[in-house]
Amino acid sequence: MPYELRGKGVITGISIAKVMKLGEDLQSYIDAYTPGTAEEEVSKIKEALAYAAEVLQTNIKTLRDKGMLEQAGIMEAHRMMVQDPMLEENAMLKLGACGSAPKAVLEASEENASIFEQMDDTYFRERAVDIRDVGKRVTRRILGLKEKTVDGGAVILCGEEIEPSVIANIPTEKIAGVILGNGSTTCHAVIIAKARAIPTVAGLGDKIKDIPDNAEVILNGETGEIFVEPTEDLIASYQVKLEEQRRLKEHYAQLSKLPTVTKDGVEVDLMANISTHLDVEAAMKFGAKGVGLFRSEFLFMGRDTIPDEETQFKAYKEAIEKCNGHLCVIRTMDIGGDKPLPYLNIPEEENPFLGYRAIRICLNRREVFMPQVKAILRAGLYGKAAMMLPMVINVEEVKQVRAIIEEAKSQLAHEEKPFSNNVQLGIMVETPAAAVMTPVLAKYLDFFSIGTNDLVQYTLAVDRVNTNVSYLYNHFNPAVLRLIKLTIESARNNNIWVGMCGEMASDPNATAILMAMGINELSMSAPSIPRVKEKIRSITSAQAKAALDTVMTMEDGNAIKEYLQTAL
């Protein structure tokens, strides 16, 4: 009997495939397990932990070799959890009480996960899934259970909490889609799926139990719709949509070769946000005119130590060269907040998003920051490069960085390493403090890039992954639009360029008003470029100006969004 479910679409795309239910109940296997002697059970736990660490290390190397640094970083976090003495010690304590190795490991990991679930910070609450993932991996090894594999055609992975390692270990071509009972845009399962452009729906809650294993399903990653055991007519209608999706992809491929200009000749540069130098070539295929955001922190993730100057230099040099004379903007390490690095030994904070992160770490830890500055300066000889500072809130931070850059140049000259004197310096305007101070900050910089993800979050005091308040998160809120307009005006008044690299940059509904405000550049995930380009090519600058004039008189963000959806 066909029926419909609805969750939250988190990664767009349509897929039609059979479901593979994940998150098997290990309890039945544990109940059937016959423990050995105390020494044997201790040995099994130690062997399973060592084996899991070895497998994860192999996976990390494979992912790094493929340039999948973000996913490597996630698996590195799992490896460190496996090797955390606390897990082994807790498992041994549980073993003394129950006498069963698999039961002891599962109980220990569940206890550790429960501690994380009670934390106030959303990021750490969601790491409970990773702890359970590690516990189940070790438990399966003790029980002799094999990892999940897909033998036939592509399937839609479905589970209340899908373990990140499961998605990471299944080839992309074997995953047609992902359905999650829980999970948000920041959970590791979604991060991995997004990196692979796998259509995903999350937030089904208990309704996930209504989807049988091996059931045929239609998944719509944009609307969040899921059709279980659909009729032949419904499948036929979605086959048409799949064909439209394929044709649209071909249309966008042709569009990538055309200039990004309005009907009356106003040009806006569309650039790509990347996580690794290996992403540049793919971005160029979507029509990117350079890189507006190179997230350099992914070079620091998935490692045991800080990457040295030479390692960073090679990565930045390759990215700059692949931009073929177009600008490559390298953001300095944005670690902290939702991206902690264990080897930096940063104490746990109650609110890491407002704590010790990004430029604050860099200015305090010269041994971390100086190699990066030197590597960027050296790589700047191989094309057009820029250095961008995250989380700046005042002029003093910029002055300190300017002094560090001069010190880096002196060191490079002494070391007889050639470097560029033409690397631009800019900041991400992602705090209200920076936005308000842009008339002053502009005097010390070559450019601004507006990071709307954090700017919206901090301006509206809204945690966008908190379901209780996420409805308030809206980049069309008049307060946010006024800060963006002020930033653009400050840049133009001081003859520096201004771009945007947050999610708002990829919203076609926002494109017209950003153009009318005078933005020079929009940077986004590469697949979003064609949609934004199509919007720019379909309007005139006069239409955009008229839309902006209307919007700036409006008082409600939702009304602004609705107006822009219909006005152009």
Side-chain angles (χ1 to χ4, degrees), residues 6-7 59 77 98-99 109 122 129 178 200 239 280 312 368 379 381 435 460 477 500:
R6 185 181 288 271
N59 290 348
C98 70
S109 62
T122 304
V129 178
V178 173
T200 300
Q239 290 286 5
V280 180
Q312 293 188 63
V368 176
L381 281 174
L460 303 182
N477 183 287
M500 179 179 286

Side-chain angles (χ1 to χ4, degrees), residues 37 63 181 188 192 204 249 280 333 345 374 380 387 432 436 497 502 544:
T37 65
L63 290 167
H188 280 159
I192 294 175
L204 261 71
K249 187 176 179 180
V280 180
M333 184 188 72
N345 298 314
K374 292 168 72 175
M387 186 186 309
V436 170
W497 65 269

